[in-house]
Amino acid sequence: MQSRFGWLFIISLLFTLPPAQAQESRTALLDQAGTGVFLLRNDNQSAWEPALLLNTEMEVTISGPLARVRIRQRFSNPGLAFAEGLYVLPTSENAAVHGMQLEIGERRIIGQIREKQQARQAYEQARASGQRAGLVEQRRPNLFSTSVANIEAGQSIAVTLEYTELLVPDAGRFNLRLPLTMTPRYTPAPQPSDNPVPVVHPYTAVEGPIVEGLWRDGPSHQARLDIYLDAGMPLDSIHSPSHQLDHDYDGRGYRIQLAHNPVIMDSDFILEWALPADIGNQAAVFSETLDDGHYALLMLSPAERPVSHVRQPREVLLIVDTSGSMQGERMRQARQSLLHALDRLQPEDRFNLFEFNHQHSQLFRQPVPADATHLAMARDWVNALYASGGTEMLPVLRDALSQPSEPGYLRQLIFITDGSVSNEQEVLTMIQRRLHNARLFTVGIGAAPNSYLLRKAAEIGRGQFTPVNDRDGVASSINRLFEKLESPVLTDLRLELEDGIQAQIWPERLPDLYAGQPLVVALKLNRLPESITLHGHQPEPWQQQLWLPEAQQSPGTAKLWARSKIESLMDRLVQGAAEAEVREAVLEVALQHQLMSRYTSFIAIEETPVRSPDEELLSQQIPNLNPADHHLYPQTSLGLLRLWSLALLLFAAALALLIRRRPAHA
């Protein structure tokens, strides 16, 4: 009888543990039987309410390397009371967001850019006063939050954002990504940090609630895409690795038609196109003249191949993410990427392998020669990898960046992950401080990777970001990456302008160039130059004078220059600059050029109140859909702790069962 009470106690304890996932996502959804209406509550104490509906229209016009995107999102209130909708909007990490509009019936209210705290206070006041209002804030460079207050019962309000993005070709191929959702980001446990500046709330989750596909065929979370690609010439190819599409050529550009439109917002949309191989342009200039000067974007392709063909032996450190967010197709792509990378190593190279989740391990104590024996061990190790647990990036990066190196080898790190963590600034700071002369290349896995972290890490590491876009594209993506690894074209680049030209040039530190990669710089000048001289190393000293073609007038060039300057200023935080100093510099540029930033927000308010202060206002966090290739998993180290606690309790229960069944004479 006593043992039965023990069993009841253990089982009761198991059932009283809060479910890990429910604790991580406080938003829950319920399909109201027989009505087709989804109910939502933000936490276990809230009442169920009809869920706000969100639908999206995206108009995209691409002209040369410039993409102009207009995102219109309609928030509809099917409930019986006034509502406020809160939504986290994923965007391109390269977007210069310069316009916002609130649409209420036939009325249009143009949004104003303001200092972030001032915009927040104005929104809160309008919300309390019963005025309809919209607020768009930046949470991360590729995540914005939209708040819409006082949506009347049965009515809707639309918020429109406009941004411009510069698309940089890679070996004549362009790529446009329209983020439609995001992978939940893991919130890591506190770790020793390289950041000399204390980070405020570094472990706060930023993506908002994410739910498993209840709305896949429902009235919400659908996006209609309208895309026109003005290439000015017939293209070699157009395709999408993410969605089925067709296209019509009208003599100048292509109207892109999706096989299914609208699309479910559970996977990023990707469009790729290739220019004719014989186009042969070495330089392109896009300019805009404003009262305060000339703005220009230069795209320079100085050389296709390095002059020196002597291959320097390499020391390659391969680091792969085996956390729970990589389960399924993502882990298969990661293993395949590693195996292709091992195939590209040469006998004179050295290598090592690392894998990480909430723990990490490495195959060899230090880098070893890429001979047949070591490569066979590596392939067996890779084939045994599986995904589980959290995503603790800092410890594995610290160990990999501390590996002893041999003189005469070019050290290159290849980091394969979906990038789903919330401590991006600390990861970037560690790379900035510990990489030294090595190069870092990132490989993005999944339908909705954290492209900001992966691109910025590669930029700091003077390498390149390679997304793996589709199931069949792993081999071609990794082969393109290794072509670059083996063919650095130019290093230590420097621009020389004609006498008399004064210019502000961003980025401040020019990147290394690899085969097929152009140099892109943004300039503000007193006059446009006729030629530019590039200096670099190949590895021998090298220079080339490039004559610039006639500049194409491109509205929006000044905003792209301002966005490039803001990004460079924000990079100073990773380098240890004081935030107050960076904030002041960013505010000046963002307010002058009317751009969204970490310190500025868009606000739009209707003057006439529609709700009296005594009427109820229900606030809802509108979730994003879980990416189609992702399995939901506890997204904090605390969630993992609960899982381990549950496992220990189950072990205790099994042990109690064994003791209970042991024969009396044993």
Side-chain angles (χ1 to χ4, degrees), residues 8 38 72 82 111 132 143 183 186-187 252 254 290 364 468 506 509 520 522 607-608 649 665:
L8 286 174
F38 284 108
R72 181 172 179 267
F82 281 93
R132 287 180 285 209
L143 290 182
T183 300
Y186 178 82
T187 302
R252 177 170 182 81
Y254 295 82
L290 300 180
F364 304 111
V468 173
W506 306 100
R509 180 188 183 191
V520 179
E607 291 188 1
T608 306
L649 284 171
H665 57 79

Side-chain angles (χ1 to χ4, degrees), residues 103-224:
E103 182 182 330
I104 307 166
E106 299 297 323
R107 298 185 298 286
R108 307 284 188 274
I109 302 172
I110 304 299
Q112 305 295 319
I113 195 83
R114 292 192 194 176
E115 188 276 330
K116 190 171 191 174
Q117 192 58 34
Q118 292 178 4
R120 165 56 63 178
Q121 289 172 354
Y123 174 81
E124 297 289 350
Q125 186 175 352
R127 175 183 180 276
S129 301
Q131 296 166 274
R132 287 180 285 209
L135 173 69
V136 184
E137 301 170 295
Q138 177 181 306
R139 291 192 175 189
R140 297 292 166 89
N142 58 347
L143 290 182
F144 297 155
S145 66
T146 302
S147 305
V148 183
N150 293 308
I151 311 171
E152 293 172 275
Q155 301 297 312
S156 63
I157 294 178
V159 176
T160 300
L161 278 183
E162 295 182 30
Y163 71 81
T164 302
E165 179 179 1
L166 177 65
L167 307 174
V168 179
D170 182 0
R173 292 187 288 266
F174 282 86
N175 176 298
L176 170 75
R177 178 182 286 267
L178 299 175
L180 296 178
T181 190
M182 70 198 82
T183 300
R185 297 188 181 185
Y186 178 82
T187 302
Q191 295 284 340
S193 171
D194 286 0
N195 195 339
V197 180
V199 179
V200 179
H201 306 304
Y203 304 120
T204 303
V206 294
E207 72 272 10
I210 292 178
V211 296
E212 196 74 64
L214 280 177
W215 269 320
R216 292 196 191 284
D217 299 315
S220 186
H221 289 63
Q222 308 284 322
R224 181 171 294 281

Side-chain angles (χ1 to χ4, degrees), residues 515-538:
Q517 178 189 7
L519 172 67
V520 179
V521 291
L523 305 94
K524 181 182 178 184
L525 314 106
N526 55 343
R527 67 177 173 83
L528 293 174
E530 294 182 354
S531 69
I532 280 182
T533 302
L534 266 178
H535 297 267
H537 289 86
Q538 229 183 20

Side-chain angles (χ1 to χ4, degrees), residues 33-293:
T35 67
V37 175
F38 284 108
L39 304 180
L40 177 146
R41 62 179 179 181
N42 287 337
D43 54 54
N44 293 338
Q45 285 72 47
S46 302
W48 292 99
E49 301 290 344
L52 294 177
L53 306 179
L54 173 81
N55 285 296
T56 301
E57 298 169 6
M58 303 183 80
E59 296 177 16
V60 184
T61 303
I62 305 164
S63 179
L66 300 182
R68 296 180 175 85
V69 181
R70 187 171 182 270
I71 304 174
R72 181 172 179 267
Q73 294 198 295
R74 179 169 292 280
F75 297 76
S76 301
N77 178 12
L80 301 176
F82 281 93
E84 176 189 38
L86 312 169
Y87 175 67
V88 177
L89 170 68
T91 59
S92 166
E93 72 276 12
N94 295 316
V97 181
H98 52 75
M100 177 259 195
Q101 178 177 279
L102 198 63
E103 182 182 330
I104 307 166
E106 299 297 323
R107 298 185 298 286
R108 307 284 188 274
I109 302 172
I110 304 299
Q112 305 295 319
I113 195 83
R114 292 192 194 176
E115 188 276 330
K116 190 171 191 174
Q117 192 58 34
Q118 292 178 4
R120 165 56 63 178
Q121 289 172 354
Y123 174 81
E124 297 289 350
Q125 186 175 352
R127 175 183 180 276
S129 301
Q131 296 166 274
R132 287 180 285 209
L135 173 69
V136 184
E137 301 170 295
Q138 177 181 306
R139 291 192 175 189
R140 297 292 166 89
N142 58 347
L143 290 182
F144 297 155
S145 66
T146 302
S147 305
V148 183
N150 293 308
I151 311 171
E152 293 172 275
Q155 301 297 312
S156 63
I157 294 178
V159 176
T160 300
L161 278 183
E162 295 182 30
Y163 71 81
T164 302
E165 179 179 1
L166 177 65
L167 307 174
V168 179
D170 182 0
R173 292 187 288 266
F174 282 86
N175 176 298
L176 170 75
R177 178 182 286 267
L178 299 175
L180 296 178
T181 190
M182 70 198 82
T183 300
R185 297 188 181 185
Y186 178 82
T187 302
Q191 295 284 340
S193 171
D194 286 0
N195 195 339
V197 180
V199 179
V200 179
H201 306 304
Y203 304 120
T204 303
V206 294
E207 72 272 10
I210 292 178
V211 296
E212 196 74 64
L214 280 177
W215 269 320
R216 292 196 191 284
D217 299 315
S220 186
H221 289 63
Q222 308 284 322
R224 181 171 294 281
L225 309 182
D226 182 4
I227 303 173
Y228 185 75
L229 170 55
D230 180 5
M233 65 185 83
L235 298 171
D236 266 11
S237 66
I238 304 176
H239 84 288
S240 169
S242 62
H243 294 75
Q244 292 183 357
L245 57 77
D246 202 351
H247 50 78
D248 289 328
Y249 184 58
D250 62 8
R252 177 170 182 81
Y254 295 82
R255 175 67 61 187
I256 308 300
Q257 298 171 340
L258 278 72
H260 304 285
N261 203 8
V263 298
I264 303 166
M265 297 173 66
D266 64 354
S267 181
D268 292 353
F269 173 81
I270 303 167
L271 182 67
E272 296 180 347
W273 62 99
L275 299 175
D278 58 352
I279 190 168
N281 286 344
Q282 278 196 307
V285 185
F286 304 90
S287 71
E288 182 178 22
T289 300
L290 300 180
D291 293 340
D292 61 342

Side-chain angles (χ1 to χ4, degrees), residues 555-577:
T557 300
K559 294 190 183 301
L560 288 172
W561 174 87
R563 186 208 163 277
S564 181
K565 180 174 181 177
I566 289 172
E567 183 176 1
S568 294
L569 292 171
M570 295 302 298
D571 288 346
R572 294 179 183 176
L573 290 176
V574 174
Q575 297 160 6

